[in-house]
Amino acid sequence: MMLFYIFLVAAFGATTISAEAPISCLSLNYTGYFRDSDQFNLTVSGNFALSIINGTTYATASNLSIYNSVINAYATGVCYYSICCNITAPGASCTFDVRDTYILLYANFSSGPIPTVFTGIIADDGTFSTNKLFTPSKMCLSTSGQENTTYTGNTICCTSSVPAAVVTTNNKRCKRFTSRTTIYNIVDNYSIFSTSSLIYDVVGRTLYPRNLTDNAAPNYFVCYFDHTYFNNPLSCDQKGQVTYANITMDSGDTKFLISTFYLPYAEIFGINGILSARLLYRNDQLLMQEGVPFTPQNNCLYLKGPWYPSPKNYSTTANFCCSAFES
Ligand SMILES: *[C@@H]1O[C@H](CO)[C@@H](O)[C@H](O)[C@H]1NC(C)=O
Ligand SMILES: *[C@@H]1O[C@H](CO)[C@@H](O)[C@H](O)[C@H]1NC(C)=O
Ligand SMILES: *[C@@H]1O[C@H](CO)[C@@H](O)[C@H](O)[C@H]1NC(C)=O
Ligand SMILES: *[C@@H]1O[C@H](CO)[C@@H](O)[C@H](O)[C@H]1NC(C)=O
Ligand SMILES: *[C@@H]1O[C@H](CO)[C@@H](O)[C@H](O)[C@H]1NC(C)=O
Ligand SMILES: *[C@@H]1O[C@H](CO)[C@@H](O)[C@H](O)[C@H]1NC(C)=O
Ligand SMILES: *[C@@H]1O[C@H](CO)[C@@H](O)[C@H](O)[C@H]1NC(C)=O
Ligand SMILES: *[C@@H]1O[C@H](CO)[C@@H](O)[C@H](O)[C@H]1NC(C)=O
Ligand SMILES: *[C@@H]1O[C@H](CO)[C@@H](O)[C@H](O)[C@H]1NC(C)=O
Ligand SMILES: *[C@@H]1O[C@H](CO)[C@@H](O)[C@H](O)[C@H]1NC(C)=O
Ligand SMILES: *[C@@H]1O[C@H](CO)[C@@H](O)[C@H](O)[C@H]1NC(C)=O
């Protein structure tokens, strides 16, 4: 395998950082396990390919195998939000539009509980990653974890890729961001259905959220989540109870994505968020996407998309802007 290196000279003198060329990963294979003390001893594997059609990201899953040795059974199907497909036929594949960048499949067994499987895969901005980034010398990324008597782990290997844009300048880091998301009611002349904003200070790799504003529609509430910390939202406003959590991003080359959820009080299951922020650390630079740093001249990431509970009736925009740079 060929390795490409670029050399960046840091602003403060002679330090030389060797940096690997970025890649966009277009397909991967996955092996993983999930084991608890009673219901599950799952072995999971499959292949995923990413495609973009008319601006929408699709993932196609194939060769899926999900085995629970506790009940000695293979899953018969997988579901992504309300889209389900049958995986029992040889050569079966399932394609779904990736919402909110996260691929969280529910495995359907002919009886018994429904576990989430293939966790950890991110399809964002035309490339697969985990919260770590693939590089030419690191085409497999592994994680493992244990909480009490629950064990999880996976290995995700990039099996095809293309080169990605390289940053050619060394830029000052951003130290404060303002994030704003809006949902428009298309069938009512694009009137605003819900809006919210959040400020994050960034110190090293830690995000300090503050100043949540919540103008969600009546009977909805807003939460900002990083999916690797689902139990710990960055900020949430539940019936006026506002919470904040400081979150430290991984070290090294990493992708940190934040989604804004507007959740109805009544039924919160199965609603995806709106991708509202991307912090990409590549070769020790802080970027809004591959090849694009935050700079005073180009300080905002703009995102837009449907709102999936009702994509024909609602659309969304998100602005993620650097409002202060390190001096
Ligand atoms: C879980 O299943 C795997 C293979 O299916 C088996 O090797 C392992 O011993 C099982 N572990 C437990 C704790 O049952
Ligand atoms: C992409 O969008 C264009 C214009 O809206 C439409 O004509 C075309 O059929 C779409 N292509 C696919 C593959 O959906
Ligand atoms: C399909 O998955 C099995 C494991 O379940 C693996 O042994 C095999 O190599 C995979 N085939 C392809 C084409 O990836
Ligand atoms: C999922 O499992 C249920 C039974 O538990 C079955 O009725 C349904 O058809 C399955 N769906 C798929 C796509 O396999
Ligand atoms: C899934 O596909 C298999 C094989 O094609 C078929 O026998 C089975 O009835 C299907 N199951 C469901 C729930 O559709
Ligand atoms: C793990 O155990 C601790 C202490 O008993 C408990 O507070 C926590 O909720 C448990 N975590 C899970 C995921 O069950
Ligand atoms: C996944 O891809 C890697 C890299 O191409 C390969 O070494 C590995 O054997 C593959 N694993 C499976 C289960 O197909
Ligand atoms: C939408 O806005 C336009 C321009 O402001 C106005 O002419 C039109 O009557 C509005 N339509 C509805 C359904 O409110
Ligand atoms: C953020 O909140 C702090 C403390 O509540 C307040 O002093 C400050 O004015 C707010 N800043 C903005 C930009 O709203
Ligand atoms: C986050 O960090 C700030 C500054 O150190 C601190 O005042 C605040 O209590 C922390 N918040 C939480 C929820 O730990
Ligand atoms: C979408 O808007 C139409 C027209 O206002 C309405 O009849 C329909 O119920 C709405 N659908 C959803 C899912 O909100």
Side-chain angles (χ1 to χ4, degrees):
M1 186 177 302
M2 278 240 284
L3 290 185
F4 298 92
Y5 288 95
I6 57 168
F7 293 92
L8 301 172
V9 178
F12 310 103
T15 321
T16 301
I17 315 159
S18 67
E20 265 200 275
I23 56 169
S24 289
C25 180
L26 301 180
S27 55
L28 57 81
N29 68 29
Y30 187 110
T31 54
Y33 59 87
F34 177 86
R35 206 159 67 227
D36 67 10
S37 53
D38 50 348
Q39 295 188 96
F40 296 114
N41 180 0
L42 291 177
T43 309
V44 169
S45 65
N47 300 337
F48 290 80
L50 180 153
S51 57
I52 297 175
I53 301 167
N54 271 357
T56 301
T57 301
Y58 293 88
T60 298
S62 59
N63 198 28
L64 300 184
S65 169
I66 303 159
Y67 177 66
N68 186 358
S69 68
V70 173
I71 56 170
N72 187 24
Y74 285 89
T76 55
V78 290
C79 298
Y80 184 71
Y81 292 100
S82 53
I83 303 155
C84 291
C85 83
N86 184 341
I87 61 169
T88 55
S93 76
C94 314
T95 297
F96 41 84
D97 55 325
V98 178
R99 305 171 185 193
D100 188 18
T101 78
Y102 294 90
I103 296 179
L104 278 179
L105 299 180
Y106 294 88
N108 199 2
F109 285 89
S110 48
S111 66
I114 297 172
T116 55
V117 287
F118 300 107
T119 53
I121 306 175
I122 290 172
D124 167 59
D125 199 26
T127 180
F128 278 131
S129 66
T130 68
N131 62 333
K132 297 284 192 191
L133 304 176
F134 295 107
T135 65
S137 67
K138 196 157 202 179
M139 294 297 259
C140 291
L141 302 167
S142 294
T143 63
S144 62
Q146 182 193 352
E147 196 177 336
N148 301 341
T149 53
T150 301
Y151 298 80
T152 55
N154 62 52
T155 295
I156 302 175
C157 295
C158 181
T159 51
S160 77
S161 66
V162 294
V166 175
V167 183
T168 51
T169 52
N170 221 344
N171 298 279
K172 279 183 178 158
R173 290 264 180 86
C174 184
K175 66 176 183 184
R176 178 172 307 148
F177 290 96
T178 304
S179 185
R180 187 177 300 280
T181 63
T182 306
I183 303 175
Y184 298 93
N185 190 339
I186 299 171
V187 293
D188 179 30
N189 243 351
Y190 285 86
S191 62
I192 291 176
F193 176 71
S194 287
T195 183
S196 72
S197 66
L198 185 67
I199 296 173
Y200 325 96
D201 292 310
V202 181
V203 180
R205 292 286 178 116
T206 303
L207 285 177
Y208 297 89
R210 60 186 169 89
N211 294 69
L212 178 71
T213 68
D214 175 7
N215 295 301
N219 300 318
Y220 281 75
F221 66 99
V222 71
C223 285
Y224 284 72
F225 277 101
D226 147 38
H227 283 232
T228 54
Y229 298 90
F230 247 129
N231 300 325
N232 197 18
L234 216 53
S235 186
C236 217
D237 176 18
Q238 272 184 283
K239 299 190 176 174
Q241 291 275 89
V242 180
T243 58
Y244 296 100
N246 303 327
I247 289 181
T248 300
M249 297 173 267
D250 275 3
S251 59
D253 285 357
T254 186
K255 186 178 245 187
F256 191 82
L257 300 169
I258 297 166
S259 295
T260 308
F261 286 72
Y262 291 91
L263 299 167
Y265 282 130
E267 175 61 79
I268 66 168
F269 183 75
I271 293 194
N272 59 286
I274 298 162
L275 178 67
S276 58
R278 180 189 299 119
L279 292 171
L280 183 64
Y281 285 86
R282 174 74 89 172
N283 298 330
D284 214 31
Q285 297 232 51
L286 176 54
L287 312 175
M288 62 174 82
Q289 64 185 79
E290 291 291 5
V292 186
F294 290 92
T295 64
Q297 295 73 35
N298 185 24
N299 66 324
C300 291
L301 171 69
Y302 298 102
L303 298 162
K304 62 179 173 25
W307 193 44
Y308 278 98
S310 184
K312 285 202 169 66
N313 289 10
Y314 297 99
S315 65
T316 71
T317 61
N319 303 347
F320 183 58
C321 296
C322 179
S323 44
F325 289 88
E326 285 176 356
S327 50

